[in-house]
Amino acid sequence: MTTKIIGTGSCPGDRVVTNDDLAQIVETSDEWISTRTGIRERRLTTVLGTAGMAAEAARKACQNAGIDPEELDLIVMGTSTPEYCFPNGACQVQAEIGAVNAVGFDVSAACSGFVFALMTAHSFMKAGTYRNALVIGADDISKIIDWSDRKTCVLFGDGAGAAVIRAEEQDGIFHGLLKSDGKKWDVLTCGARTAGNFLTEKKPELGYVFMDGQEVFKFAVKKVPECIRQILEETNTSQEEIRYYILHQANERIIDSVAKRLKEPLEKFPMNIQKYGNTSAASIPILLDEMNREGRLKRGDKIILSGFGGGLTWGAILLEW
Ligand code: UT7
């Protein structure tokens, strides 16, 4: 028995914002942003928000899979920016797409959200509990950015990506590793809306994204290759067998460094960060969807997905397309 991705969809934010646009609001430049990160522009959502983009990506993924949303048993959404504390975003998506027979819940693992959600859904498949699932990574991260902080505001973009997965009878590879290091929780954070109760008299405060960029950079370039090597070892797979490494799109230099550490050519590391920036949990499924629609993924290709982010969390999945 194995889990297969049978369809993908995506929905980036509706408005293009270039590096030059950002140079109008903070002291930065296209040169600084593009050379340090690879980002040239990003898309921000002005209409749909997290659940709306997620639902649009989900509709496209169901169409691409040739599946009616009523056939879905499960919806798992990786997000850090749901519209509500409750209900969860997956329930909103369920309503929007008419997935009346599914159960939906969110997974919170920041930029690793899609990988964590996919492993969660796969575990239900492996246990034989469900057959068809929708896995989403979606973030409207622009609403939790401090737009006067040039250290963070130039990095992110909004979007959603989705994949329909199915439990298949035949043999195949689907193997994942999820990791976290809570000791480093404070290097990448966004405070929740906080307010006290009538005893504390605290005023409501909004949280914004804070990142110690260099700490996160060092963590990513060490842990991602380590995790990929562990997966290869556990599955007795050689690097030559891997067609693509689809990494979270946080910084082109992180991807370059992972490729170098694995001694792999950069061609095996597709990138779209230049167009979208860091879309948090959405970056891997958006890239996967683009590659799928461009016909770059062939049945039987072995690919590795790897995410990393706040928590700190990270993980990787080896699967056969
Ligand atoms: O998705 C979650 C995971 N996130 C990541 O993986 C991000 C990991 N970190 C990074 O990608 C990089 O650390 C950044 C792109 C965030 C920053 O690059 P850096 O090479 O580490 O730059 P830095 O933070 O060391 O800053 C260098 C200089 C500083 O000036 P001084 O102190 O040297 O005078 C910053 O103030 O660049 C300055 N700076 C900027 N200048 C122009 C910081 N942000 C900007 C900016 N425009 N937007």
Side-chain angles (χ1 to χ4, degrees), residues 142-163:
S142 63
K143 71 182 175 191
I144 56 167
I145 295 285
D146 172 355
W147 287 97
S148 64
D149 174 16
R150 69 176 184 173
K151 286 191 173 165
T152 50
C153 78
V154 302
L155 303 174
F156 295 94
D158 301 327

Side-chain angles (χ1 to χ4, degrees), residues 33-145:
I33 303 169
S34 56
T35 54
R36 298 268 177 154
T37 68
I39 300 165
R40 297 235 162 236
E41 58 189 38
R42 72 285 296 135
R43 308 280 210 96
L44 303 189
T45 181
T46 60
V47 185
L48 291 177
T50 301
M53 292 188 294
E56 188 53 25
R59 269 186 217 104
K60 290 178 178 167
C62 289
Q63 265 167 18
N64 185 242
I67 196 176
D68 189 301
E70 292 192 3
E71 294 175 64
L72 293 170
D73 307 308
L74 172 70
I75 303 174
V76 189
M77 176 149 110
T79 187
S80 316
T81 52
E83 266 79 33
Y84 299 95
C85 293
F86 52 85
N88 65 59
C91 283
Q92 290 179 274
V93 173
Q94 174 186 19
E96 279 210 37
I97 66 172
V100 290
N101 296 306
V103 57
F105 58 89
D106 292 356
V107 164
S108 168
C111 301
S112 313
F114 182 75
V115 169
F116 275 53
L118 185 53
M119 265 309 280
T120 305
H122 163 69
S123 304
F124 281 105
M125 304 286 169
K126 208 172 156 191
T129 316
Y130 299 123
R131 179 147 191 269
N132 295 315
L134 174 67
V135 181
I136 304 169
D139 272 310
D140 172 2
I141 200 130
S142 63
K143 71 182 175 191
I144 56 167
I145 295 285

Side-chain angles (χ1 to χ4, degrees), residues 26-29 32-33 36-37 111 150-152 154-156 188 211-220 248-251 253-254 278 280 308-310:
V26 287
E27 206 181 315
T28 190
S29 64
W32 191 96
I33 303 169
R36 298 268 177 154
T37 68
C111 301
R150 69 176 184 173
K151 286 191 173 165
T152 50
V154 302
L155 303 174
F156 295 94
L188 180 46
M211 178 162 69
D212 179 338
Q214 294 198 358
E215 274 299 312
V216 179
F217 195 102
K218 281 188 277 182
F219 140 76
H248 169 48
Q249 305 283 295
N251 187 324
R253 289 188 296 135
I254 293 180
N278 176 347
S280 187
F308 52 90

Side-chain angles (χ1 to χ4, degrees), residues 53 59 74 89 97 129 173 222 224 237 260 264 269 321:
M53 292 188 294
R59 269 186 217 104
L74 172 70
I97 66 172
T129 316
I173 300 174
K222 181 165 184 283
V224 171
T237 307
K260 279 202 189 85
E264 285 278 30
F269 293 77
W321 190 253

